[in-house]
Amino acid sequence: MNLNKNYENLEQSYLFSTVAKKVNEYISKNPDKKIIRLGIGDVTRPLCKKVIEAMHKAVDEMGVQATFRGYGPEQGYDFLREAVQKYYKTHNVDLELDEIFISDGAKSDLGNILDLFGEDNTVLVPDPVYPVYVDTNIMAGRKVVFADANGENGFLPMPDENIKADLIYICSPNNPTGAVYNREQLKVWVDYARKLGAIILFDSAYECFISDTELPHSIYEIEGAKECAIEFCSLSKMAGFTGTRCGYTIVPKTLGKLNKMWLRRQTTKFNGVPYIVQRGAEAVFTPEGQEEIKENINYYKENARIISDTLKRCNIRHVGGKHSPYIWLKCPNNMKSWEFFDYLLENAQVVGTPGAGFGRNGEGYFRLTSFGSKENTAEAMQRFEKLFG
Ligand code: MLT
C-alpha cells in the first residue's frame, strides 16, 4: 500500500481550519471574552422566505407516495437547470441545458474538475488566491506557477506570454482581494488561453456582489470564452447556502470532449444534490427570491461600507468591499499577517484571515469579511478604531 506522497507537500492544515484552531485555543484560555468573527466568508443572514417555503413544500412531497423522489439526475433536475439557464440569459449568456451541472457548491467542483485533466498539466494560479486551487493541484502532483497580484496591478494580474499554462484559475470578484476584472482584461485572458489551448477555470462565486453594470458577471459575456472556459458558481454567498450546499458548474459543449467527460465523471462519482435543496435553489431565481436575496446582499454591502469607512479614518490602505464581501487591507505598522492576526485577536478579540494564508504575495495583508451581523461588524470596527484610530 502506497500513500499519495503529494500530501506531504501541503501545508499541515487547511487555512480556515488553522484559523479556527487558533481561535478555539484563545477561547479556551479566555472564556469571558466576546469574540467577533470576520474571518471565514460564512454568511449569517438566514435563508430567505421564498426558499424556505419551497423547501417546506418539497419536504411534504417527500412524505407522499405520489410525489416521493429517490435518486435524482446526477447533473441536477431540469427545473433548476432551466432556472439557471434563465439567470444566465439576464447577463446575455445563452446556455444549453446540458451545459449546466448542479453541484453541491463551487469548492467541491473546483477540486473535482481536476479528474478531467492530466497530471502533467501546468497550472497558473494568481497569488494571493483562494487556497483550494493550489491545494487540490498539489494533491494531484501538478506543477503550479503563480501570477503575481499586488498593489501595483490592482491585485489583477494579466497574462505573461512567457508562461505556458494549461489550466488557468481566475476568481472575479476575487477571493481574497475583492478586485474585479473588467471586460477588456478578461478578453486578454480569454485570448491568451485560446492561443495556448489552455482551459480557464473561472470562479464566479461572488458575481452577485457586482454593482457596476459594466463589469462582467460571467466569463461567457466575453467573446471566445465558450471555447476555453469552465465556470463555477455557488448559491453559498448569493443566497446563504453555505450550510445547505448548492451551486452550478458550466461546461460548454464547444469545449469538445470535456462536457461529455464531466457528465461521465458526475454520473460515476456523484449522486446529485438533494431534491429539497434543489427546490430551495430554484426559488432563489424567482423574481421574489431575487428581491429577497438582494436585501441580504445589500445588508452585507452596508457592512463592507462600515469596515471601509473605519479603515479610511484609521488611514489603513485597503481594497475590495465594493463589488465583493471581502476587504483586503495592509496590516498596520508593517506587521506580518499572522502577527496582526494574533495582535487583533489578543487586543480586540476580532478574527480575520491572515493574507499570508492566501499565498506569498498576501504576506503583510489581512482579509476581513462583511458577512457578519451589522451589530458585530460595527462593534468590531469600534474596537479596531480604538487600536488604530
Ligand atoms: C472564504 O472564506 O474564503 C470562503 O468562505 C471559503 C469558501 O467559500 O470555501
Side-chain angles (χ1 to χ4, degrees):
M1 186 279 290
N2 293 319
L3 294 174
N4 180 348
K5 288 216 165 46
N6 297 319
Y7 275 65
E8 288 166 18
N9 300 325
L10 292 166
E11 293 289 329
Q12 219 178 3
S13 80
Y14 183 57
L15 172 62
F16 295 105
S17 315
T18 309
V19 169
K21 188 165 167 269
K22 272 182 161 266
V23 175
N24 288 339
E25 276 165 16
Y26 180 83
I27 292 173
S28 68
K29 286 188 203 138
N30 302 276
D32 302 331
K33 301 268 194 203
K34 181 187 167 195
I35 305 279
I36 300 181
R37 294 171 197 264
L38 304 180
I40 191 164
D42 195 4
V43 293
T44 51
R45 305 288 297 157
L47 294 173
C48 70
K49 222 170 108 225
K50 192 79 190 161
V51 168
I52 294 298
E53 275 167 18
M55 284 184 173
H56 276 302
K57 185 162 171 275
V59 168
D60 289 341
E61 284 176 40
M62 293 297 265
V64 174
Q65 184 69 67
T67 49
F68 168 76
R69 313 245 184 166
Y71 290 129
E74 294 89 343
Q75 60 273 49
Y77 284 102
D78 278 358
F79 61 78
L80 180 54
R81 294 200 294 160
E82 280 161 15
V84 172
Q85 188 183 40
K86 273 200 203 133
Y87 180 67
Y88 269 86
K89 192 81 192 130
T90 64
H91 299 308
N92 296 318
V93 174
D94 290 313
L95 295 175
E96 289 182 39
L97 224 49
D98 50 3
E99 295 178 314
I100 302 168
F101 296 80
I102 303 305
S103 71
D104 64 347
K107 178 180 180 178
S108 324
D109 270 11
L110 280 157
N112 295 336
I113 200 79
L114 295 175
D115 274 10
L116 310 192
F117 300 101
E119 278 164 24
D120 48 354
N121 284 308
T122 297
V123 184
L124 178 61
V125 175
D127 173 358
V129 82
Y130 180 38
V132 169
Y133 311 156
V134 177
D135 287 359
T136 50
N137 278 291
I138 290 179
M139 287 171 181
R142 279 193 199 86
K143 182 178 167 201
V144 180
V145 292
F146 294 96
D148 288 330
N150 48 42
E152 282 84 72
N153 59 24
F155 296 98
L156 293 168
M158 295 305 292
D160 174 348
E161 296 291 334
N162 298 315
I163 294 177
K164 305 286 173 240
D166 302 301
L167 296 175
I168 302 161
Y169 285 84
I170 299 179
C171 178
S172 178
N174 186 268
N175 179 10
T177 66
V180 196
Y181 282 108
N182 64 29
R183 282 169 207 278
E184 292 69 35
Q185 290 167 320
L186 277 188
K187 177 79 173 103
V188 177
W189 275 109
V190 165
D191 291 345
Y192 167 76
R194 290 181 74 191
K195 197 164 138 201
L196 291 177
I199 291 288
I200 295 176
L201 302 172
F202 190 78
D203 183 350
S204 64
Y206 301 94
E207 60 84 16
C208 60
F209 283 84
I210 294 177
S211 40
D212 180 338
T213 50
E214 289 306 307
L215 293 170
H217 289 248
S218 160
I219 194 158
Y220 304 123
E221 292 177 54
I222 311 303
E223 193 203 330
K226 279 198 186 161
E227 274 77 49
C228 66
I230 296 176
E231 183 161 292
F232 304 83
C233 199
S234 160
L235 277 82
S236 285
K237 319 295 158 104
M238 178 205 270
F241 275 57
T242 50
T244 317
R245 308 306 310 154
C246 195
Y248 42 94
T249 297
I250 313 297
V251 189
K253 288 199 268 187
T254 33
L255 293 180
K257 281 187 185 165
L258 284 170
N259 176 281
K260 285 255 165 331
M261 283 171 74
W262 183 241
L263 178 65
R264 184 70 176 85
R265 190 264 172 215
Q266 291 299 79
T267 47
T268 307
K269 292 198 184 180
F270 188 52
N271 256 338
V273 174
Y275 173 69
I276 298 160
V277 173
Q278 291 196 53
R279 279 296 185 196
E282 181 193 19
V284 168
F285 296 103
T286 60
E288 300 94 317
Q290 286 291 298
E291 276 306 310
E292 289 175 12
I293 63 159
K294 230 168 253 155
E295 269 177 44
N296 287 343
I297 292 168
N298 287 337
Y299 177 97
Y300 295 133
K301 279 178 176 255
E302 172 61 13
N303 285 348
R305 191 195 56 75
I306 294 171
I307 296 173
S308 180
D309 284 353
T310 308
L311 296 178
K312 272 185 210 145
R313 285 197 298 277
C314 298
N315 279 323
I316 296 174
R317 272 204 289 143
H318 63 283
V319 291
K322 204 159 168 223
H323 305 293
S324 151
Y326 298 125
I327 288 99
W328 181 248
L329 59 110
K330 187 92 188 77
C331 299
N333 307 326
N334 281 327
M335 274 189 253
K336 289 191 173 280
S337 302
W338 281 104
E339 191 188 349
F340 184 60
F341 173 90
D342 289 334
Y343 182 84
L344 205 58
L345 182 58
E346 195 65 47
N347 295 287
Q349 290 75 50
V350 172
V351 180
T353 311
F358 296 100
R360 197 172 48 93
N361 289 327
E363 183 55 280
Y365 286 89
F366 201 72
R367 195 193 75 176
L368 292 174
T369 146
S370 66
F371 284 128
S373 71
K374 187 170 176 189
E375 296 69 31
N376 278 349
T377 305
E379 188 178 337
M381 289 302 103
Q382 276 162 16
R383 296 183 193 177
F384 206 92
E385 205 158 356
K386 250 193 201 156
L387 291 177
F388 304 108

